[in-house]
């Protein structure tokens, strides 16, 4: 089993930045590819970014390309999402996911999920 814990969410004004982190514990050799998803109230969970076990190339959702950057540090068992130029439509609960062989934009292949961290972007 792999446990994932997200941190770094909060309230930020539009145009600002936040840095989310996800710490993995347990059988960390099983984390495989890791990703970030987000879910706003009343909406489906949306792919944000994913990165392979050895790092790049990363994949990004169309709505965040050029603004968000995913990275990972296997020695520290962490994956990070740097979010710049935030917009109100980025407001959502952000989830860390792990456990696929390769980075994927789909929810189903990920075996492990964190509890989520709230990101709120105000005007």
């Amino acid at each position: 089993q792999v446990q994932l814990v997200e941190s770094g969410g909060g309230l930020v004004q539009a145009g600002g930045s936040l840095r989310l982190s996800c710490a993995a514990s347990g059988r960390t050799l099983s984390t495989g590819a890791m990703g970030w998803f987000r879910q706003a109230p009343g909406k489906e969970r949306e792919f944000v970014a994913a990165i392979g076990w050895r790092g790049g190339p990363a994949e990004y959702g169309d709505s965040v390309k050029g603004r968000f950057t995913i990275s990972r540090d296997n020695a520290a068992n962490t994956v990070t999402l740097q979010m710049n130029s935030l917009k109100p439509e980025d407001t959502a609960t952000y989830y860390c996911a792990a456990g696929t062989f390769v980075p994927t934009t789909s929810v189903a292949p990920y075996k492990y999920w964190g509890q989520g961290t709230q990101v709120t972007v105000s005007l």
Side-chain angles (χ1 to χ4, degrees):
Q1 287 292 330
V2 175
Q3 293 78 44
L4 303 173
V5 178
E6 303 96 336
S7 62
L11 175 63
V12 64
Q13 287 189 325
S17 298
L18 280 176
R19 187 178 181 90
L20 304 184
S21 292
C22 173
S25 61
R27 298 186 62 180
T28 54
L29 289 178
S30 299
T31 55
M34 298 184 73
W36 288 93
F37 289 76
R38 66 187 183 186
Q39 189 166 19
K43 294 188 176 181
E44 293 186 352
R45 195 161 293 192
E46 175 190 16
F47 171 73
V48 175
I51 190 167
W53 167 248
R54 297 182 183 274
E59 293 194 40
Y60 295 93
D62 289 340
S63 61
V64 307
K65 282 180 181 176
R67 301 187 297 122
F68 291 10
T69 302
I70 188 172
S71 60
R72 70 186 293 167
D73 181 345
N74 288 342
N77 296 317
T78 59
V79 64
T80 299
L81 185 69
Q82 177 66 42
M83 306 187 295
N84 299 328
S85 303
L86 283 162
K87 305 174 181 179
E89 51 263 44
D90 293 319
T91 296
T93 300
Y94 283 70
Y95 296 91
C96 176
T100 66
F101 288 110
V102 295
T104 177
T105 63
S106 300
V107 170
Y110 290 92
K111 297 179 183 178
Y112 310 109
W113 291 85
Q115 293 300 307
T117 186
Q118 178 66 36
V119 171
T120 303
V121 184
S122 64
L123 289 170

